[in-house]
């Protein structure tokens, strides 16, 4: 719990992308698995196995090389399925096409083997030097230039020219020789038909030098995609790549958000890029309200690894103004976007019926007041789901206070008409104010109407020692409580005292004093009941008022008939039968006293 006593979730700083990537089998190439594997390649810690004497510059350079190698390995695995699909479409009559397709997935060894099997020994030798030095690339460029000048390229297949173009490190459109009729050679685009991942791979593996950083590769590809979007495949989300004409029940924003995988690469390449710029739901799924992956990535990148944060995170302030501490003890400000992200994802989980998961997400809301309100509101909406199994998880694993859960269960019980169950839940949770309000408004009138004085007394006695708002001010709450307590006490105790005093040969002075005190208090109680039970919205209150006045009048007429007359109290809110019975009792008592006097 935090300083305000509100439970919260604090993600472990040891949580990283590999924690999630390990949950997927190696053969899983779903977009979700690829996302966490890419995060592992770009952001997880790398053990460089270097001694303490190695300088920072050397460490950074080695780390950059390792990151790029990890990205290359990830990308090669990510495009395997699309490469295999294109290989099935290739004609055996075009072996150069097979080789180029393999090269588009950086399957160098397979490309060399295919070239050897097809008798292209020299080409296999060149392919083995792919991503070579500048001299190698320049030699290939000169070869292409010579073919074009001598109009030999017309006799070379388009696929072979594509292979030579990428070996030369050129991804521009390869111009053919300009001649008339039969010697005219068409231009060739080495990027034609490639999706954005394989296009990005072309820049990573062939276009940029071997020692280029990930940031340089990213910038080259991103600039080309912006300048020539019709030729260089932009990083469109995966669901738009698979179904380009997909129809949506909403207006897709323009420009279309980048694919989540590319957004992670951008986050690594651009140090100034914040999470607010990349955690867009439409980058991950074809729904603007799917916040599952944006929230998980935010927690890993911001709360655990401290790689990047949302743009609206407040600046560090004094201890009293901050909401979160990182592992180094640095105080952080509040981020409204973080709370909104958690609330949106929790709402999504709630709609799926995943109540415990939704509460867990809400525990990450940074402000104590907002966190408590969000969780309690969720519990109130989910009262029908709070069975024993659900409550055990909420109370045990999530450490949600029992009072919050019982409050939600009580509200649901009230909606179902089980008022007494709600009262019990409030009492068990220590919510005495709510229990009091329920008792005096709902249960006490019912007990009065049923003349269940034992139940009425037990309802109120349990709260007698508890703190209820308004009691110390003698307000309405106190008047309600005292009126019902005095009524229950009078209706049960006065008959007992009357019988005891009547049967005793020598009356007990203590009982006589209690009897006199009770008989004097009843007229006063009758006089204040109409003001205390003055609600006109609930007919039960009117019935209870009539029942209480009638009962008190009847019992007082029985034990001390002239007490009401002497107090000059007017009977209001009672039926005519009660008034008539009171008049008869009073008249009879006066008649009997007159006879005794005479």
């Amino acid at each position: 719990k935090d300083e305000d006593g509100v439970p919260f979730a604090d993600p472990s700083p040891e949580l990283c992308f590999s924690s999630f990537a390990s949950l997927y089998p190696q053969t899983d190439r779903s977009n979700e698995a690829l996302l966490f594997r890419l995060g592992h390649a770009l952001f997880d810690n790398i053990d460089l196995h270097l001694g303490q004497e190695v300088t920072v510059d050397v460490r950074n350079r080695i780390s950059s090389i390792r990151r790029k190698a990890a990205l290359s390995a990830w990308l090669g695995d990510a495009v395997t399925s699309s490469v295999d699909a294109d290989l099935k479409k290739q004609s055996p009559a075009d072996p150069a096409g097979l080789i180029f397709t393999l090269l588009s997935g950086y399957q160098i060894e397979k490309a060399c083997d295919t070239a050897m099997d097809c008798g292209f020994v020299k080409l296999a030798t060149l392919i083995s030097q792919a991503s070579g030095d500048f001299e190698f690339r320049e030699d290939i460029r000169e070869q292409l230039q010579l073919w074009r000048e001598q109009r030999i390229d017309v006799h070379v297949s388009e696929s072979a020219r594509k292979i030579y173009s990428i070996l030369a490190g050129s991804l521009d459109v390869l111009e053919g020789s300009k001649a008339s009729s039969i010697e005219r050679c068409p231009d060739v685009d080495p990027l034609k038909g490639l999706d954005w991942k394989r296009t990005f791979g072309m820049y990573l593996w062939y276009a940029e030098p071997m020692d280029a950083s990930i940031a340089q590769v990213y910038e080259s590809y991103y600039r080309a995609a912006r300048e020539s979007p019709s030729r260089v495949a932009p990083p469109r989300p995966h669901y738009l790549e698979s179904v380009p004409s997909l129809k949506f029940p909403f207006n897709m924003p323009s420009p279309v958000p980048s694919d989540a995988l590319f957004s992670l690469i951008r986050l690594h390449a651009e140090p100034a890029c914040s999470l607010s710029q990349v955690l867009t739901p439409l980058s991950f799924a074809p729904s603007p309200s799917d916040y599952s992956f944006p929230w998980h990535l935010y927690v890993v990148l911001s709360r655990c690894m401290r790689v990047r944060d949302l743009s609206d995170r407040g600046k560090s302030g004094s201890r009293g103004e901050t909401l979160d501490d990182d592992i180094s003890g640095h105080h952080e400000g509040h981020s409204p976007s973080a709370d909104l992200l958690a609330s949106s994802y929790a709402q999504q989980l709630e709609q799926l019926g995943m109540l415990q998961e939704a509460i867990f997400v809400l525990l990450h809301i940074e402000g104590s007041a907002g966190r408590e309100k969000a969780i309690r509101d969720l519990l109130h909406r989910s009262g029908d789901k709070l069975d024993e199994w659900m409550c055990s998880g909420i109370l045990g694993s999530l450490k949600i206070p029992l009072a919050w859960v019982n409050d939600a269960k009580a509200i649901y019980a009230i909606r179902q008409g089980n008022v007494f169950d709600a009262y019990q839940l409030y009492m068990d949770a220590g919510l005495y104010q709510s229990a009091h309000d329920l008792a005096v408004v709902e249960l006490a009138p019912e007990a009065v109407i049923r003349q269940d004085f034992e139940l009425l007394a037990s309802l109120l006695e349990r709260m007698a020692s508890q703190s209820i708002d308004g009691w110390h001010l003698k307000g309405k709450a106190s008047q309600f409580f005292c009126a019902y307590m005095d009524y229950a006490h009078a209706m049960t105790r006065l008959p007992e005292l009357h019988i005891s005093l009547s049967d005793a040969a020598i009356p007990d002075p203590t009982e006589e004093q209690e009897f006199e005190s009770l008989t004097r208090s009843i007229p006063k109680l009758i006089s204040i009941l109409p003001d205390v039970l003055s609600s006109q919205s609930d007919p039960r209150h009117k019935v209870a008022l009539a029942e209480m006045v009638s009962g008190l009048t009847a019992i007082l007429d029985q034990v001390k008939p002239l007490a009401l007359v002497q107090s000059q109290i007017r009977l209001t809110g009672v039926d005519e039968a009660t008034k008539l019975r009171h008049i008869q009792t009073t008249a009879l008592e006066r008649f009997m006293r007159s006879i005794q006097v005479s």
Side-chain angles (χ1 to χ4, degrees), residues 105-181:
Y106 203 56
Q107 299 182 23
I108 302 297
E109 184 176 350
K110 288 185 178 180
C112 288
D113 292 341
T114 302
M116 292 288 291
D117 293 341
C118 295
F120 302 144
V121 179
K122 294 181 179 179
L123 180 59
T125 304
L126 295 177
I127 292 173
S128 65
Q129 302 176 66
S131 304
D133 55 25
F134 288 102
E135 291 185 5
F136 171 78
R137 297 186 180 196
E138 188 60 32
D139 290 342
I140 300 296
R141 289 193 186 97
E142 291 178 359
Q143 180 67 63
L144 290 172
Q145 179 67 21
L146 183 63
W147 283 353
R148 183 167 57 253
E149 292 174 353
Q150 297 182 359
R151 300 178 183 177
I152 299 175
D153 53 359
V154 72
H155 303 289
V156 182
S157 68
E158 290 189 7
S159 298
R161 293 169 62 199
K162 285 183 179 181
I163 295 173
Y164 276 85
S165 179
I166 63 174
L167 291 178
S170 174
L171 300 181
D172 296 330
V173 175
L174 181 62
E175 294 184 3
S177 56
K178 307 302 180 185
S180 58
S181 65

Side-chain angles (χ1 to χ4, degrees), residues 237-252:
H238 65 94
Y239 54 87
L240 289 179
E241 281 192 332
S242 57
V243 187
S245 59
L246 186 63
K247 301 297 182 181
F248 299 96
F250 56 88
N251 294 326
M252 179 65 73

Side-chain angles (χ1 to χ4, degrees), residues 513-534:
Q513 184 178 0
E514 184 182 358
F515 180 81
E516 290 297 326
S517 176
L518 269 177
T519 54
R520 286 195 302 269
S521 66
I522 288 178
K524 182 180 179 181
L525 179 59
I526 292 175
S527 67
I528 67 173
L529 282 177
D531 294 329
V532 176
L533 298 174
S534 58

